Amino acid sequence: MRAEGTVEAFRKAETLVSQRRPLEALRALGPVLEEDPDKPSVQLLAGRAYLFSAQFQRAELAFLRVIELDPSDHYARLVLGRTLQRQGRLNEAHTQVRLATTMYPDPAYQEVLGEIRAHIARVNATE
């Protein structure tokens, strides 16, 4: 695939993810994943599409790959935490979101962290 085609396919996939059409986004992103599998932005977009389509294990692998390629990517840690939360892996989710919040102290991140902490407290209270 030529560079222009790769960029166009990536942008189309971005648009589809933003429209919450993750399966179509993954189809559009397929050639880009083949061309640039080690590009953090490609893995991050794929992870978001997997997350939106409830393919949590694939999303987790994509976000872990982003973090492997760029350990300072706070957003990848946030969405990895969300993915783990959706799988019921609350302690692991808490760790990732806490790291993301430490790296990027945004109120939206703080809100996610508080949500996970509240969920953990509810689970612990019923045990």
Side-chain angles (χ1 to χ4, degrees):
M1 179 177 265
R2 291 189 350 224
E4 301 89 36
T6 302
V7 170
E8 185 177 306
F10 182 86
R11 287 189 178 141
K12 180 178 181 179
E14 270 185 322
T15 299
L16 290 165
V17 166
S18 70
Q19 295 172 345
R20 298 291 180 149
R21 296 165 53 191
L23 297 177
E24 293 172 63
L26 287 166
R27 279 193 291 279
L29 197 58
V32 182
L33 279 165
E34 287 178 20
E35 184 83 19
D36 289 318
D38 291 332
K39 194 166 187 178
S41 60
V42 173
Q43 287 295 324
L44 189 61
L45 185 58
R48 290 177 56 216
Y50 289 133
L51 177 59
F52 292 156
S53 63
Q55 297 180 59
F56 302 127
Q57 291 177 336
R58 287 182 175 177
E60 179 182 349
L61 291 174
F63 297 139
L64 285 170
R65 184 67 180 134
V66 173
I67 292 167
E68 180 182 320
L69 295 166
D70 180 7
S72 67
D73 191 320
H74 57 84
Y75 182 73
R77 290 188 184 279
L78 177 75
V79 289
L80 174 59
R82 282 299 213 184
T83 302
L84 296 167
Q85 179 185 17
R86 296 278 306 269
Q87 295 178 75
R89 295 162 56 191
L90 299 177
N91 291 326
E92 293 171 81
H94 181 264
T95 299
Q96 291 301 323
V97 175
R98 186 173 37 82
L99 280 168
T101 303
T102 300
M103 297 165 82
Y104 187 73
D106 184 84
Y109 286 29
Q110 296 281 347
E111 187 175 319
V112 173
L113 185 60
E115 179 185 312
I116 292 171
R117 286 179 174 160
H119 196 164
I120 289 170
R122 280 193 302 275
V123 168
N124 289 341
T126 61
E127 290 181 350

